[in-house]
Amino acid sequence: MTYVLTGDDKAISGFGGFRSAITSLDPRMRVVVTVLYAITVVGLSDLRVLSGAMVLSMWLLAISGLPFQKTLKRMAMMDTFIIFMLVLLPFTMPGTPIFTVWGVSASWEGLWRAVEIGLTANAVILAVMTMVGSMEPVTMGHALFALKTPERLVHLMMFTIRYIDVLREEYQRLRTSMKLRAFRPGTNWHTYRSYGYLVGMMLVRAIERSERILAAMKCRGFSGRIVLLDEFRLTRTDLAFAAALCLAMAALVWAEVVYAAA
Amino acid sequence: MHIVDGALSNPVVIGGAVVAVGGIAMGLKHLPLERIPAAGVLSASFFVASLIHVPIGPSSVHLILNGLAGLVLGWAAFPALFVGLLLQAVFFGFGGLTVLGVNAVNIALPAVLAGLLFRPMVSRGSPLHGAIWGGIGGGVAIAVTTLAVAFSLMLSGDEFAAAAKLVFVAHIPVMAVEALLTGAAIYLARRVKPELFLDAKGGWA
């Protein structure tokens, strides 16, 4: 689904998808382990231990079969969002000064806190993208349903996943027709009104489309039940993988406790 | 607008998750089976709309349009926006996993509030009247979202106070743009498809 953002070809996960060490594992297990991993990493605070978590996430990326550079680039995109907050931290947190700019001093404590947040955020999001993001979106929906997520929420998610693509193409058609009429965006009332109309038109078309969808679904006897196409099976490989990751998490927690005591 | 993992304190993260679960449950309660296709397709269109970049001066901002989502979907905007955030985190790497609850509350709760407060005004009167109230709703939703983000940062530690203030100031132009766009979108929707906002009873809200 990432091509929605990057405009690449639909390569990463088409129907049927690709197979690698991670994609052949049970999706339910991947979701559960990822959540556990995220909670564990957020609980860590020692920089050495967090670096260990980062290495673990990188290893997950290596065996996930996702394109290495592209995924790291996407992770770096998130960093550009938080960079301001992280850069401010050394200046706003009191502590031992490192240097002073215009009478404001940066503290070591703030710097370490910024590094800590950066490492945590990246380690978690990398694991999420590699363990869950490498799934076919529909498979993720089915896995969440198998994990007792409310049926309606899963339906809502599946519809969203299904129609993001369709509506993005519709958006691009509308943009093309705007371009044909010599629309060039700028900072002015005309631009904002045109974009507003564009969004409004998308909503109107979305509603009309949803009416046709509902009619088509009723015609086929839709009752609100989710029919699972594949049955998930927890194999010995899944258990071994989950056990290995849990062991790694236990090691991280142990290291954290030891370093905290030292 | 996304907060990442590791920045917030545990009570804030847990509190956010609890409120988010409540909001999603409330939203699903207002979402009969018949409405799921419409909510899903609208959720997808808000997802796509959030990828639109709008120029402001030399820079550009991406849209959030949570106010518009609230005006159109009512309570159902909560699960719809949550799904959007979940997909963004998992497939794009925006935001984080443990902060999903906090992010959902920050974005979806103002949307629902804007929907409950301004929807009656948006659906009444002339399209222009509706558009003006819609614009106000869109602006208010973003303002509340920004305040909520700043608030969750400040609750987590004093060291974030500066960042929180910066977030708010930096988003003032965004509020204006979102208000204008929401207003225009409502104006068009009211003229092209008035029934989108008509069914006040038994409908979305």
Side-chain angles (χ1 to χ4, degrees):
Chain A
M1 209 171 93
T2 44
Y3 58 86
V4 173
L5 188 67
T6 52
D8 293 343
D9 298 330
K10 304 178 187 180
I12 296 179
S13 57
F15 281 99
F18 62 106
R19 298 194 83 75
S20 72
I22 279 193
T23 46
S24 51
L25 295 169
D26 188 332
R28 292 171 302 171
M29 184 277 292
R30 279 150 73 187
V31 170
V32 172
V33 171
T34 308
V35 171
L36 287 179
Y37 181 72
I39 294 171
T40 312
V41 173
V42 169
L44 302 174
S45 59
D46 192 281
L47 293 186
R48 288 160 291 187
V49 184
L50 278 172
S51 310
M54 194 66 213
V55 171
L56 189 59
S57 295
M58 293 291 258
W59 175 73
L60 287 173
L61 172 61
I63 64 164
S64 74
L66 285 175
F68 208 80
Q69 271 188 322
K70 268 188 194 163
T71 314
L72 286 184
K73 237 188 224 163
R74 190 129 355 98
M75 184 182 84
M77 249 171 94
M78 175 197 75
D79 291 331
T80 58
F81 290 143
I82 57 170
I83 196 79
F84 284 109
M85 192 183 81
L86 296 187
V87 167
L88 274 177
L89 266 180
F91 298 99
T92 55
M93 213 162 156
T96 334
I98 317 172
F99 60 88
T100 309
V101 210
W102 300 310
V104 188
S105 64
S107 71
W108 284 108
E109 283 82 354
L111 181 64
W112 296 136
R113 179 95 175 90
V115 173
E116 184 198 324
I117 294 176
L119 276 174
T120 311
N122 284 311
V124 172
I125 210 67
L126 195 54
V128 170
M129 283 197 290
T130 52
M131 294 275 288
V132 186
S134 57
M135 262 180 228
E136 182 58 44
V138 176
T139 312
M140 182 175 83
H142 285 168
L144 287 178
F145 176 60
L147 292 169
K148 305 276 179 263
T149 312
E151 208 167 22
R152 279 188 195 167
L153 188 62
V154 176
H155 266 307
L156 187 63
M157 196 178 88
M158 305 275 252
F159 267 107
T160 310
I161 290 168
R162 166 69 182 85
Y163 286 99
I164 281 174
D165 214 18
V166 177
L167 290 168
R168 193 181 66 114
E169 275 162 19
E170 190 145 283
Y171 162 70
Q172 276 164 348
R173 273 196 297 277
L174 286 166
R175 274 310 289 271
T176 308
S177 61
M178 284 166 84
K179 218 182 251 174
L180 280 170
R181 289 160 180 79
F183 170 75
R184 208 185 286 150
T187 310
N188 49 48
W189 167 232
H190 175 66
T191 301
Y192 296 140
R193 194 181 51 187
S194 305
Y195 272 118
Y197 286 175
L198 170 66
V199 172
M201 201 60 220
M202 277 173 65
L203 289 184
V204 169
R205 290 193 180 183
I207 284 284
E208 285 172 351
R209 185 185 293 277
S210 78
E211 285 161 5
R212 296 195 295 273
I213 295 165
L214 182 65
M217 285 173 52
K218 272 185 172 166
C219 166
R220 287 159 183 79
F222 175 68
S223 65
R225 261 184 320 114
I226 291 174
V227 182
L228 295 179
L229 299 176
D230 311 295
E231 207 171 305
F232 297 123
R233 229 174 274 123
L234 206 60
T235 62
R236 202 168 292 164
T237 329
D238 293 321
L239 291 175
F241 182 83
L245 260 186
C246 286
L247 210 66
M249 283 184 248
L252 286 174
V253 173
W254 175 77
E256 170 84 19
V257 172
V258 168
Y259 279 128
Chain B
M1 245 15 166
H2 298 85
I3 300 177
V4 295
D5 283 314
L8 299 178
S9 66
N10 293 339
V12 177
V13 170
I14 295 166
V18 170
V19 177
V21 168
I24 291 167
M26 194 68 185
L28 292 179
K29 236 176 78 182
H30 285 79
L31 194 63
L33 208 59
E34 294 256 304
R35 282 295 196 174
I36 286 178
V41 179
L42 285 172
S43 168
S45 49
F46 285 113
F47 190 96
V48 173
S50 73
L51 300 174
I52 304 177
H53 278 257
V54 176
I56 292 189
S59 164
S60 74
V61 292
H62 80 93
L63 298 174
I64 302 172
L65 292 178
N66 58 341
L68 189 57
L71 289 170
V72 177
L73 288 168
W75 266 108
F78 208 110
L81 291 169
F82 170 78
V83 163
L85 285 171
L86 176 70
L87 295 178
Q88 281 191 347
V90 170
F91 293 104
F92 296 172
F94 292 170
L97 193 63
T98 57
V99 284
L100 211 51
V102 176
N103 282 336
V105 171
N106 286 346
I107 289 180
L109 206 57
V112 172
L113 284 179
L116 294 180
L117 281 176
F118 296 106
R119 199 193 148 93
M121 274 87 95
V122 167
S123 52
R124 240 187 287 132
S126 67
L128 187 65
H129 173 266
I132 290 169
W133 279 109
I136 294 172
V140 166
I142 289 294
V144 177
T145 293
T146 317
L147 282 176
V149 170
F151 188 62
S152 15
L153 283 172
M154 268 155 69
L155 271 183
S156 296
D158 295 333
E159 67 265 29
F160 291 116
K165 276 178 207 149
L166 195 73
V167 165
F168 187 78
V169 174
H171 277 85
I172 291 174
V174 182
M175 292 168 208
V177 168
E178 291 257 348
L180 286 176
L181 262 135
T182 307
I186 298 252
Y187 184 71
L188 184 114
R190 278 287 310 269
R191 303 209 51 178
V192 179
K193 201 166 172 72
E195 63 268 33
L196 188 61
F197 298 100
L198 263 185
D199 45 356
K201 290 273 179 293
W204 287 114

